[in-house]
Amino acid sequence: MNGAPAQPIGAPFPPARMASLMRRALFLAESNLGATAPNPSVGAVFADAATGEIVGSAVTAPGGRPHAEVRALSQAGERARGSVLFTTLEPCSHFGATPPCAHSVAAAGVATVVYGSLDPDMRVAGKGLAWLTSHGVRVLRGDFVKEADWLNLGHTLRVTERRPFVQIKLAVDANGRVPSGAGGKPVWITGEAARAQAQLLRARADAILVGRKTVEADDPELTCRLPGLEDRSPVRVVLAPRCGILAQARLFKSQKPPVWIVCGDSSQCGGLTGLPGVKVFDVGASTAGSLNLRLVLMRLAAEGITRLLVEGGPATARAFLDAGLADEAIIMQSEAQLDPAASLPAFGSKGMELVTSSNSYILAARAKAGPDTIHTYRSTAHWQA
Ligand code: AOF
Ligand code: ZN
């Protein structure tokens, strides 16, 4: 269709307005990613049917409630009557902690609901749309369904596969190499702009995960230090099959956000179990002593995690890739060249090609951040060109 958005018959607004209102809803949804778990971050925009003017808009509140639609509805007030709602997710139909959004929307006299993703939650799963239709509200699929599905992927995977969305982030040099990590502190490869982007990834995650070796080599804090977003730091997760993490690590200096140690034998974690803000999860180890990553992810999902950022090191990233459990790989590439004697190929022996030349991943975006380049690869299981 010449690149124009697919237009449902009888759309309430011209194509460009339909697209921009849904884009606005997506933008809102994106703004609270990482803050609403275990609930999805949804964006909702009410537009006046006659003028297309926005009369109320909101995102799911931090902590997951109230839901986006009811927050936006209270802004719109009487102007919701006869309006058009653009929402990134099918409005809910279940009586949970709050009354169902679909009921509130229909009761407010909204004329049309334009939605992005269907809600896979069995309590909703089409019943939200059915409620709306049976109460006289017109329901249309909106533009940017692919983008909405991508934003909701953490929620979808938690519901359908009982695991979170997994995003891998790795900073590499011009040759795709990473520092070998014996210095006792992080080695910065990328510049300030890329680092700020990396911090934003932390803000948009529910949890950040590293392997025990990264704690030893870098002694990181794993918090979000972007001005104004400090309270968006995710739960800090360390994969440590045999524990062995020193209680002196900087991670334990602050109790917030919590630190979760996922191990294969909690009897080895003696010194850590009593630390404030620290929880130990024992998922059992294989005979080779490694952890089953699917079990790790299921444990995190059971704790409410929908979006997990895997930050290191390369062996940990590689393990998620090998297990087919990485949904997105964000490669931040510097123009600098590391000393080969003090560096390793990213993702272990295979280097970056493990992602960049794989049929399982597709380049979804490439952008400059100062002198660095950010390559975003997405799993073709969830993202098509
Ligand atoms: C919406 N709008 O903004 C969100 C929705 O535990 P509860 O009662 O808050 O319900 C959580 C479920 O509601 C969640 O699993 C998902 O199906 C839906 N989330 N729905 O209409 C929203 N966050
Ligand atoms: Zn709802």
Side-chain angles (χ1 to χ4, degrees), residues 33-178:
L33 286 178
T36 59
N39 280 356
S41 177
V42 177
V45 173
F46 286 92
D48 184 284
T51 63
E53 180 200 348
I54 294 176
V55 296
S57 65
V59 55
T60 310
R65 296 181 201 111
H67 289 183
E69 298 91 321
V70 290
R71 291 182 94 195
L73 201 51
S74 73
Q75 264 184 31
E78 254 315 296
R79 296 188 74 185
R81 191 158 298 283
S83 70
V84 182
L85 164 63
F86 290 79
T87 176
T88 57
L89 182 71
E90 169 186 8
C92 69
S93 56
H94 66 288
F95 283 89
T98 49
C101 292
H103 296 206
S104 309
V105 166
V110 173
T112 308
V113 169
V114 182
Y115 71 99
S117 302
L118 282 164
D119 190 343
D121 188 319
M122 283 314 289
R123 296 170 298 174
V124 186
K127 296 197 263 305
L129 299 183
W131 175 277
L132 291 167
T133 311
S134 66
H135 288 76
V137 182
R138 198 154 60 110
V139 170
L140 301 173
R141 196 104 208 236
D143 298 313
F144 307 119
V145 169
K146 184 170 88 164
E147 286 76 8
D149 285 349
W150 185 259
L151 285 183
N152 288 317
L153 192 54
H155 171 59
T156 303
L157 289 173
R158 182 165 174 271
V159 168
T160 58
E161 293 189 25
R162 296 203 195 136
R163 71 164 177 93
F165 164 72
V166 176
Q167 188 177 47
I168 285 175
K169 179 239 133 188
L170 206 63
V172 301
D173 81 348
N175 302 313
R177 296 174 74 84
V178 296

